[in-house]
Amino acid sequence: MRLSRAFLLLTAALGALALGGCATAPLGPTVAVMPAPGMPFEQFQAIDATCRQFAQQQSAQYQAGATNSGLTSAAIATGLGAAAGALIGGNSQGAGVGAGIGLLAGSAGGAGTYGDTQYSAQRAYNIAYQQCMYSHGAQVPGYAAPRYAPPPPPPAGYAPQPAPAPSYAPPPAYPPAYPAAQ
């Protein structure tokens, strides 16, 4: 069975896209950050959520680079493999074999480049996360713990506002579902 050159190139391109589409964003920090002494845990959790979002934004450019590096390596190697296969084999079958070998080699090279770029994305995420957490008063390994200053007490004579009345009617009183004791 004879396969056309267009079919082989389309197959190679789809393979490169499938392999390059495996890039994932950092799932979270890989560094330990602790609340400062005296910091309420609820406040620490709120800061953590804010800093995770900030770190994700800061590492987005590295993540795009990881995806692009895998796709580019696979596509270039596929093209070079097809050209080399056509020159060596002298026919479309040689081009197809060359494209397949080029796709495999390019994907392997792209995976290595992707791994390096993914490491850079995780590193950028961790740095941005640590900077954000430290600036909000959390303890970051390798740095002196910031002093957490709790908010000042309310002024003298301050009375908190009473809670508003519920905007719904209270539930009706039901008679007990069991008979009265005799």
Side-chain angles (χ1 to χ4, degrees), residues 72-171:
T72 303
S73 296
I76 289 173
T78 301
L80 290 174
L87 288 173
I88 294 170
N91 59 19
S92 63
Q93 187 177 6
V97 170
I101 292 172
L103 175 62
L104 291 174
S107 298
T113 305
Y114 164 76
D116 294 342
T117 311
Q118 187 69 17
Y119 171 78
S120 297
Q122 183 66 53
R123 186 169 184 269
Y125 183 98
N126 287 344
I127 289 171
Y129 177 77
Q130 285 179 315
Q131 288 172 340
C132 180
M133 292 297 284
Y134 187 80
S135 70
H136 283 89
Q139 284 185 353
V140 176
Y143 296 95
R147 289 197 48 164
Y148 173 74
Y158 174 78
Q161 299 292 329
S167 60
Y168 56 87

Coordinates of all heavy atoms in Angstrom, one line a residue, residues 72-171:
T72 N 8.1 22.9 18.5 CA 9.1 23.3 17.6 C 10.2 22.2 17.3 O 10.5 22.0 16.1 CB 9.8 24.6 18.1 OG1 8.9 25.6 18.3 CG2 10.8 25.1 17.1
S73 N 10.7 21.6 18.3 CA 11.7 20.5 18.1 C 11.1 19.4 17.3 O 11.8 18.9 16.4 CB 12.1 20.0 19.5 OG 12.8 21.0 20.2
A74 N 9.9 19.0 17.6 CA 9.3 17.9 16.9 C 9.0 18.2 15.4 O 9.3 17.4 14.5 CB 8.0 17.4 17.6
A75 N 8.5 19.4 15.2 CA 8.2 19.8 13.8 C 9.5 20.0 13.0 O 9.5 19.5 11.8 CB 7.4 21.1 13.9
I76 N 10.5 20.6 13.5 CA 11.8 20.8 12.8 C 12.4 19.5 12.5 O 12.8 19.2 11.3 CB 12.7 21.7 13.5 CG1 12.2 23.2 13.5 CG2 14.1 21.7 12.9 CD1 13.0 24.1 14.4
A77 N 12.5 18.6 13.4 CA 13.1 17.3 13.2 C 12.3 16.4 12.2 O 12.9 15.7 11.4 CB 13.3 16.5 14.5
T78 N 11.0 16.6 12.2 CA 10.2 15.8 11.3 C 10.5 16.3 9.9 O 10.6 15.5 8.9 CB 8.7 16.0 11.6 OG1 8.4 15.5 12.9 CG2 7.8 15.3 10.6
G79 N 10.5 17.6 9.7 CA 10.9 18.1 8.3 C 12.2 17.7 7.9 O 12.4 17.3 6.7
L80 N 13.2 17.8 8.8 CA 14.6 17.4 8.4 C 14.6 15.9 8.1 O 15.3 15.5 7.2 CB 15.5 17.8 9.6 CG 15.8 19.3 9.8 CD1 16.7 19.5 11.0 CD2 16.5 19.9 8.5
G81 N 13.9 15.1 8.9 CA 13.9 13.7 8.7 C 13.3 13.3 7.4 O 13.8 12.5 6.6
A82 N 12.2 14.0 7.0 CA 11.6 13.8 5.7 C 12.5 14.1 4.6 O 12.6 13.4 3.6 CB 10.3 14.5 5.6
A83 N 13.2 15.3 4.7 CA 14.1 15.7 3.6 C 15.3 14.7 3.5 O 15.7 14.3 2.4 CB 14.6 17.1 3.9
A84 N 15.9 14.3 4.6 CA 17.0 13.4 4.6 C 16.5 12.0 4.1 O 17.2 11.4 3.3 CB 17.6 13.2 6.0
G85 N 15.4 11.6 4.5 CA 14.8 10.3 4.0 C 14.6 10.3 2.5 O 14.9 9.4 1.8
A86 N 14.1 11.5 1.9 CA 13.9 11.6 0.5 C 15.2 11.6 -0.2 O 15.3 11.0 -1.3 CB 13.1 12.8 0.2
L87 N 16.2 12.3 0.3 CA 17.5 12.3 -0.3 C 18.2 11.0 -0.3 O 18.8 10.5 -1.3 CB 18.4 13.4 0.3 CG 18.0 14.8 0.0 CD1 18.9 15.7 0.9 CD2 18.2 15.2 -1.4
I88 N 18.1 10.3 0.8 CA 18.8 9.0 0.9 C 18.1 7.9 0.2 O 18.6 7.1 -0.5 CB 19.1 8.7 2.4 CG1 20.0 9.7 3.0 CG2 19.6 7.3 2.6 CD1 20.1 9.6 4.5
G89 N 16.7 7.9 0.5 CA 15.9 6.8 -0.1 C 15.6 7.0 -1.5 O 15.3 6.1 -2.3
G90 N 15.5 8.3 -2.0 CA 15.2 8.6 -3.4 C 13.8 8.5 -3.7 O 13.4 8.6 -4.9
N91 N 12.9 8.2 -2.8 CA 11.4 8.1 -3.2 C 10.6 8.6 -2.0 O 11.1 8.9 -0.9 CB 11.1 6.7 -3.6 CG 11.3 5.7 -2.5 OD1 11.5 6.0 -1.4 ND2 11.4 4.4 -3.0
S92 N 9.3 8.5 -2.2 CA 8.4 9.0 -1.1 C 8.4 8.0 0.1 O 8.1 8.5 1.2 CB 6.9 9.1 -1.6 OG 6.5 7.9 -2.1
Q93 N 8.7 6.8 -0.1 CA 8.8 5.8 1.0 C 9.9 6.2 1.9 O 9.8 6.2 3.1 CB 8.9 4.4 0.5 CG 8.8 3.4 1.6 CD 8.9 2.0 1.1 OE1 9.1 1.7 -0.1 NE2 8.7 1.0 2.0
G94 N 11.1 6.6 1.3 CA 12.2 7.1 2.1 C 11.9 8.3 2.9 O 12.3 8.5 4.0
A95 N 11.1 9.2 2.3 CA 10.7 10.5 3.0 C 9.8 10.1 4.1 O 9.9 10.7 5.2 CB 10.0 11.4 2.0
G96 N 8.9 9.2 4.0 CA 8.0 8.8 5.1 C 8.8 8.2 6.2 O 8.5 8.5 7.4
V97 N 9.7 7.3 5.9 CA 10.5 6.7 7.0 C 11.4 7.8 7.6 O 11.5 7.8 8.9 CB 11.4 5.6 6.4 CG1 12.5 5.1 7.4 CG2 10.6 4.4 5.9
G98 N 12.0 8.7 6.9 CA 12.7 9.8 7.4 C 11.9 10.7 8.3 O 12.3 11.1 9.4
A99 N 10.7 11.0 7.9 CA 9.8 11.8 8.7 C 9.4 11.1 10.0 O 9.4 11.8 11.0 CB 8.5 12.1 7.9
G100 N 9.2 9.8 9.9 CA 8.9 9.1 11.2 C 10.1 9.1 12.1 O 9.9 9.3 13.3
I101 N 11.2 8.8 11.6 CA 12.4 8.8 12.5 C 12.7 10.2 13.0 O 13.0 10.4 14.2 CB 13.7 8.3 11.7 CG1 13.4 6.8 11.4 CG2 15.0 8.5 12.5 CD1 14.5 6.2 10.5
G102 N 12.5 11.2 12.1 CA 12.7 12.6 12.5 C 11.7 13.0 13.6 O 12.1 13.7 14.6
L103 N 10.5 12.6 13.5 CA 9.5 12.9 14.5 C 9.9 12.3 15.9 O 9.8 12.9 16.9 CB 8.1 12.3 14.1 CG 7.0 12.5 15.1 CD1 6.7 13.9 15.4 CD2 5.7 11.8 14.6
L104 N 10.3 11.0 15.8 CA 10.7 10.4 17.1 C 11.9 11.1 17.7 O 12.0 11.3 18.9 CB 11.0 8.9 16.8 CG 9.8 8.0 16.5 CD1 10.3 6.6 16.2 CD2 8.9 8.0 17.7
A105 N 12.9 11.4 16.9 CA 14.1 12.0 17.4 C 13.8 13.4 17.9 O 14.2 13.9 18.9 CB 15.2 12.1 16.3
G106 N 13.0 14.1 17.1 CA 12.6 15.5 17.5 C 11.8 15.5 18.8 O 11.9 16.4 19.6
S107 N 10.9 14.5 18.9 CA 10.1 14.5 20.1 C 10.9 14.2 21.3 O 10.7 14.7 22.4 CB 9.0 13.4 19.9 OG 8.1 13.7 18.9
A108 N 11.9 13.3 21.1 CA 12.8 13.0 22.3 C 13.6 14.2 22.6 O 13.7 14.6 23.8 CB 13.7 11.9 21.9
G109 N 14.1 14.9 21.6 CA 14.8 16.2 21.9 C 13.9 17.2 22.5 O 14.3 18.0 23.4
G110 N 12.7 17.3 22.0 CA 11.7 18.3 22.5 C 11.3 17.9 23.9 O 11.1 18.8 24.7
A111 N 11.3 16.7 24.3 CA 11.0 16.3 25.6 C 12.0 16.7 26.6 O 11.8 17.2 27.7 CB 10.8 14.8 25.7
G112 N 13.3 16.6 26.2 CA 14.4 17.1 27.0 C 14.3 18.6 27.2 O 14.5 19.1 28.3
T113 N 14.1 19.3 26.1 CA 13.9 20.8 26.2 C 12.7 21.2 27.0 O 12.8 22.1 27.8 CB 13.8 21.4 24.7 OG1 14.9 20.9 24.0 CG2 13.8 22.9 24.8
Y114 N 11.6 20.4 26.8 CA 10.4 20.7 27.6 C 10.7 20.5 29.1 O 10.3 21.3 29.9 CB 9.3 19.7 27.1 CG 8.2 19.6 28.1 CD1 7.2 20.7 28.2 CD2 8.0 18.5 29.0 CE1 6.2 20.6 29.1 CE2 7.0 18.5 29.9 CZ 6.1 19.5 29.9 OH 5.1 19.4 30.8
G115 N 11.4 19.4 29.4 CA 11.8 19.2 30.8 C 12.5 20.4 31.4 O 12.3 20.8 32.6
D116 N 13.5 20.9 30.7 CA 14.3 22.0 31.2 C 13.4 23.2 31.3 O 13.5 24.0 32.3 CB 15.4 22.3 30.2 CG 16.5 21.2 30.2 OD1 16.5 20.4 31.1 OD2 17.3 21.2 29.2
T117 N 12.6 23.5 30.3 CA 11.7 24.6 30.4 C 10.6 24.5 31.5 O 10.3 25.5 32.2 CB 11.0 24.9 29.0 OG1 12.0 24.8 28.0 CG2 10.3 26.2 29.0
Q118 N 10.1 23.3 31.7 CA 9.2 23.0 32.8 C 9.8 23.3 34.1 O 9.2 23.8 35.0 CB 8.6 21.6 32.7 CG 7.5 21.3 33.6 CD 6.3 22.0 33.3 OE1 6.1 22.5 32.2 NE2 5.4 22.1 34.2
Y119 N 11.1 22.9 34.3 CA 11.8 23.2 35.5 C 11.9 24.7 35.7 O 11.7 25.2 36.9 CB 13.2 22.5 35.5 CG 14.1 23.0 36.6 CD1 13.9 22.4 37.9 CD2 15.1 23.9 36.5 CE1 14.7 22.8 38.9 CE2 15.8 24.3 37.5 CZ 15.7 23.8 38.8 OH 16.4 24.2 39.8
S120 N 12.2 25.4 34.7 CA 12.3 26.9 34.8 C 10.9 27.5 35.2 O 10.8 28.4 36.0 CB 12.7 27.5 33.4 OG 14.0 27.1 33.1
A121 N 9.8 26.9 34.6 CA 8.5 27.4 35.0 C 8.2 27.2 36.5 O 7.7 28.0 37.2 CB 7.4 26.7 34.1
Q122 N 8.5 26.0 37.0 CA 8.3 25.7 38.4 C 9.2 26.6 39.3 O 8.7 27.0 40.3 CB 8.6 24.2 38.7 CG 8.3 23.8 40.1 CD 6.8 23.9 40.5 OE1 6.0 23.3 39.8 NE2 6.5 24.6 41.5
R123 N 10.4 26.8 38.9 CA 11.3 27.7 39.6 C 10.8 29.1 39.7 O 10.8 29.7 40.7 CB 12.7 27.6 39.0 CG 13.8 28.4 39.8 CD 15.2 28.1 39.3 NE 16.1 28.7 40.1 CZ 16.6 29.9 39.9 NH1 16.2 30.6 38.9 NH2 17.5 30.4 40.7
A124 N 10.3 29.6 38.5 CA 9.7 30.9 38.5 C 8.5 31.0 39.4 O 8.3 32.0 40.1 CB 9.4 31.4 37.1
Y125 N 7.7 30.0 39.4 CA 6.5 29.9 40.2 C 6.9 30.0 41.7 O 6.3 30.7 42.5 CB 5.7 28.6 39.9 CG 4.4 28.5 40.7 CD1 3.2 28.8 40.1 CD2 4.4 28.0 42.0 CE1 2.0 28.7 40.8 CE2 3.2 27.9 42.7 CZ 2.0 28.2 42.1 OH 0.9 28.1 42.8
N126 N 7.9 29.1 42.1 CA 8.3 29.1 43.5 C 8.9 30.4 44.0 O 8.6 30.9 45.1 CB 9.4 28.0 43.7 CG 8.8 26.6 43.7 OD1 7.6 26.4 43.8 ND2 9.6 25.6 43.5
I127 N 9.7 31.1 43.1 CA 10.3 32.4 43.5 C 9.2 33.4 43.7 O 9.1 34.2 44.7 CB 11.3 32.8 42.5 CG1 12.5 31.9 42.6 CG2 11.7 34.3 42.6 CD1 13.5 32.1 41.4
A128 N 8.2 33.5 42.7 CA 7.1 34.5 42.8 C 6.3 34.2 44.1 O 5.9 35.1 44.8 CB 6.3 34.4 41.6
Y129 N 6.0 32.9 44.3 CA 5.2 32.5 45.5 C 5.9 32.9 46.8 O 5.3 33.5 47.7 CB 5.0 31.0 45.5 CG 4.2 30.5 46.7 CD1 2.8 30.7 46.8 CD2 4.9 29.8 47.7 CE1 2.1 30.2 47.9 CE2 4.2 29.3 48.8 CZ 2.8 29.5 48.8 OH 2.1 29.0 49.9
Q130 N 7.2 32.6 46.9 CA 8.0 33.0 48.1 C 8.0 34.5 48.3 O 7.9 35.0 49.4 CB 9.4 32.4 48.1 CG 9.5 31.0 48.3 CD 10.9 30.4 48.2 OE1 11.6 30.8 47.3 NE2 11.3 29.6 49.1
Q131 N 8.2 35.3 47.2 CA 8.3 36.7 47.4 C 7.0 37.3 47.9 O 6.9 38.1 48.7 CB 8.6 37.3 46.0 CG 10.0 37.1 45.6 CD 10.3 37.6 44.2 OE1 9.4 37.8 43.4 NE2 11.5 37.8 43.8
C132 N 5.9 36.7 47.3 CA 4.6 37.2 47.7 C 4.3 36.9 49.2 O 3.8 37.7 49.9 CB 3.5 36.6 46.8 SG 1.8 37.1 47.2
M133 N 4.6 35.6 49.5 CA 4.3 35.2 50.9 C 5.1 36.0 51.9 O 4.7 36.4 53.0 CB 4.6 33.7 51.1 CG 3.6 32.8 50.3 SD 1.9 33.0 50.9 CE 1.9 32.0 52.4
Y134 N 6.4 36.2 51.6 CA 7.3 37.0 52.5 C 6.8 38.4 52.6 O 6.8 39.0 53.7 CB 8.7 36.9 52.0 CG 9.7 37.6 53.0 CD1 10.1 36.8 54.1 CD2 10.1 38.9 52.8 CE1 11.0 37.4 55.0 CE2 11.0 39.4 53.7 CZ 11.5 38.7 54.8 OH 12.3 39.2 55.7
S135 N 6.3 39.0 51.5 CA 5.9 40.4 51.6 C 4.6 40.5 52.4 O 4.3 41.6 52.8 CB 5.7 41.0 50.2 OG 4.6 40.3 49.5
H136 N 3.9 39.4 52.5 CA 2.6 39.5 53.3 C 2.9 39.0 54.8 O 2.0 38.9 55.5 CB 1.6 38.6 52.7 CG 0.9 39.2 51.5 ND1 1.4 39.1 50.2 CD2 -0.2 40.0 51.5 CE1 0.6 39.7 49.4 NE2 -0.4 40.3 50.1
G137 N 4.1 38.7 55.1 CA 4.5 38.5 56.5 C 4.6 37.0 56.9 O 4.7 36.7 58.1
A138 N 4.7 36.1 55.9 CA 4.8 34.7 56.2 C 6.3 34.3 56.4 O 7.2 35.1 55.9 CB 4.2 33.8 55.2
Q139 N 6.6 33.2 57.0 CA 8.0 32.7 57.2 C 8.4 31.9 55.9 O 7.7 31.0 55.5 CB 8.1 31.8 58.3 CG 8.1 32.5 59.7 CD 8.4 31.5 60.8 OE1 8.4 30.3 60.6 NE2 8.5 32.0 62.0
V140 N 9.5 32.4 55.3 CA 10.1 31.7 54.1 C 11.4 31.1 54.5 O 12.2 31.8 55.1 CB 10.2 32.7 53.0 CG1 10.8 32.1 51.8 CG2 8.8 33.3 52.6
P141 N 11.7 29.9 54.1 CA 13.0 29.2 54.5 C 14.1 30.1 53.9 O 14.1 30.6 52.8 CB 12.9 27.9 53.7 CG 11.5 27.6 53.5 CD 10.8 29.0 53.3
G142 N 15.1 30.2 54.8 CA 16.3 31.0 54.4 C 16.3 32.5 54.7 O 17.3 33.2 54.5
Y143 N 15.2 33.0 55.2 CA 15.0 34.4 55.5 C 14.5 34.5 57.0 O 13.8 33.7 57.5 CB 14.0 35.1 54.6 CG 14.5 35.0 53.1 CD1 14.1 34.0 52.3 CD2 15.4 36.0 52.7 CE1 14.5 34.0 51.0 CE2 15.8 36.0 51.4 CZ 15.4 35.0 50.5 OH 15.8 35.0 49.2
A144 N 14.9 35.6 57.6 CA 14.5 35.8 59.0 C 13.0 36.0 59.0 O 12.4 36.6 58.1 CB 15.1 37.1 59.5
A145 N 12.3 35.4 60.0 CA 10.9 35.5 60.1 C 10.5 37.0 60.3 O 11.0 37.7 61.2 CB 10.4 34.7 61.2
P146 N 9.6 37.5 59.5 CA 9.1 38.8 59.7 C 8.3 38.9 61.0 O 7.7 37.9 61.5 CB 8.2 39.1 58.5 CG 7.8 37.8 58.0 CD 8.9 36.8 58.4
R147 N 8.2 40.1 61.6 CA 7.4 40.2 62.8 C 6.0 40.5 62.4 O 5.7 41.4 61.6 CB 7.9 41.4 63.6 CG 9.3 41.1 64.2 CD 9.6 42.1 65.3 NE 8.4 42.2 66.2 CZ 8.4 42.7 67.4 NH1 9.5 43.1 67.9 NH2 7.3 42.7 68.1
Y148 N 5.1 39.7 62.9 CA 3.7 39.8 62.6 C 3.2 40.8 63.7 O 3.3 40.5 64.9 CB 3.0 38.5 62.7 CG 1.5 38.7 62.6 CD1 0.9 39.0 61.4 CD2 0.6 38.6 63.7 CE1 -0.5 39.2 61.2 CE2 -0.7 38.7 63.6 CZ -1.3 39.1 62.3 OH -2.6 39.3 62.2
A149 N 2.6 41.9 63.3 CA 2.0 42.8 64.2 C 0.5 42.7 64.1 O -0.1 43.0 63.0 CB 2.4 44.2 63.9
P150 N -0.2 42.2 65.1 CA -1.7 42.1 65.0 C -2.3 43.5 64.9 O -1.7 44.5 65.2 CB -2.1 41.4 66.3 CG -1.0 41.6 67.2 CD 0.3 41.8 66.4
P151 N -3.5 43.5 64.3 CA -4.1 44.9 64.2 C -4.3 45.5 65.6 O -4.5 44.8 66.6 CB -5.4 44.6 63.5 CG -5.6 43.1 63.6 CD -4.3 42.5 63.8
P152 N -4.3 46.8 65.6 CA -4.5 47.5 66.9 C -5.9 47.2 67.4 O -6.9 47.0 66.7 CB -4.3 49.0 66.6 CG -4.6 49.1 65.1 CD -4.2 47.8 64.5
P153 N -6.1 47.3 68.8 CA -7.4 47.1 69.3 C -8.3 48.3 68.9 O -7.9 49.4 68.5 CB -7.1 47.1 70.9 CG -5.9 47.9 71.0 CD -5.1 47.7 69.8
P154 N -9.6 48.1 69.0 CA -10.5 49.2 68.7 C -10.4 50.3 69.7 O -10.0 50.2 70.8 CB -11.9 48.5 68.8 CG -11.8 47.3 69.5 CD -10.3 46.9 69.4
P155 N -10.8 51.5 69.2 CA -10.7 52.7 70.1 C -11.6 52.6 71.4 O -12.5 51.8 71.3 CB -11.1 53.9 69.3 CG -11.6 53.3 68.0 CD -11.3 51.9 67.9
A156 N -11.2 53.3 72.4 CA -12.0 53.2 73.6 C -13.4 53.7 73.4 O -13.6 54.7 72.6 CB -11.3 54.1 74.7
G157 N -14.4 53.1 73.9 CA -15.8 53.4 73.8 C -16.4 52.9 72.5 O -17.5 53.2 72.2
Y158 N -15.7 52.1 71.7 CA -16.2 51.6 70.5 C -17.1 50.4 70.8 O -16.8 49.5 71.6 CB -15.1 51.1 69.6 CG -15.5 50.3 68.4 CD1 -16.0 51.0 67.3 CD2 -15.5 49.0 68.3 CE1 -16.5 50.4 66.1 CE2 -16.0 48.3 67.2 CZ -16.4 49.0 66.1 OH -16.9 48.3 65.0
A159 N -18.3 50.5 70.2 CA -19.3 49.4 70.4 C -19.6 48.8 69.1 O -19.9 49.5 68.1 CB -20.5 49.9 71.1
P160 N -19.4 47.5 69.0 CA -19.7 46.8 67.7 C -21.2 47.0 67.3 O -22.0 47.1 68.2 CB -19.3 45.4 67.8 CG -19.2 45.2 69.3 CD -19.0 46.5 69.9
Q161 N -21.5 47.0 66.0 CA -22.8 47.2 65.6 C -23.6 45.8 65.8 O -23.0 44.8 65.6 CB -22.8 47.5 64.1 CG -22.2 48.8 63.7 CD -23.0 50.0 64.2 OE1 -24.2 49.9 64.3 NE2 -22.3 51.0 64.6
P162 N -24.8 45.9 66.3 CA -25.6 44.7 66.5 C -25.9 44.0 65.1 O -26.0 44.7 64.1 CB -26.9 45.1 67.2 CG -27.0 46.6 66.8 CD -25.6 47.1 66.6
A163 N -26.0 42.7 65.2 CA -26.3 42.0 63.9 C -27.7 42.3 63.5 O -28.6 42.5 64.3 CB -26.1 40.5 64.2
P164 N -27.9 42.4 62.2 CA -29.2 42.7 61.7 C -30.2 41.6 61.9 O -29.7 40.4 62.0 CB -29.0 43.0 60.2 CG -27.7 42.3 59.8 CD -26.9 42.3 61.1
A165 N -31.4 41.9 62.0 CA -32.5 40.9 62.2 C -32.6 40.1 60.9 O -32.3 40.6 59.8 CB -33.8 41.5 62.5
P166 N -32.9 38.8 61.1 CA -33.0 38.0 59.8 C -34.1 38.5 58.9 O -35.1 39.0 59.4 CB -33.3 36.6 60.3 CG -33.7 36.7 61.8 CD -33.1 38.0 62.3
S167 N -33.9 38.4 57.6 CA -34.9 38.9 56.7 C -35.9 37.8 56.3 O -36.6 38.0 55.4 CB -34.2 39.4 55.4 OG -33.5 38.3 54.9
Y168 N -36.0 36.8 57.1 CA -36.9 35.7 56.8 C -37.7 35.4 58.1 O -37.2 35.7 59.2 CB -36.2 34.5 56.3 CG -35.1 34.0 57.2 CD1 -35.4 33.1 58.2 CD2 -33.8 34.4 57.0 CE1 -34.4 32.7 59.1 CE2 -32.8 34.0 57.9 CZ -33.1 33.1 58.9 OH -32.1 32.7 59.7
A169 N -38.8 34.8 58.0 CA -39.6 34.4 59.1 C -39.1 33.2 59.8 O -38.5 32.3 59.2 CB -41.1 34.1 58.7
P170 N -39.1 33.1 61.2 CA -38.6 31.9 61.8 C -39.4 30.7 61.5 O -40.6 30.9 61.1 CB -38.7 32.3 63.3 CG -39.7 33.4 63.4 CD -39.6 34.1 62.1
P171 N -38.9 29.5 61.6 CA -39.7 28.3 61.2 C -40.8 28.1 62.2 O -40.8 28.5 63.3 CB -38.7 27.2 61.3 CG -37.6 27.7 62.2 CD -37.6 29.2 62.0

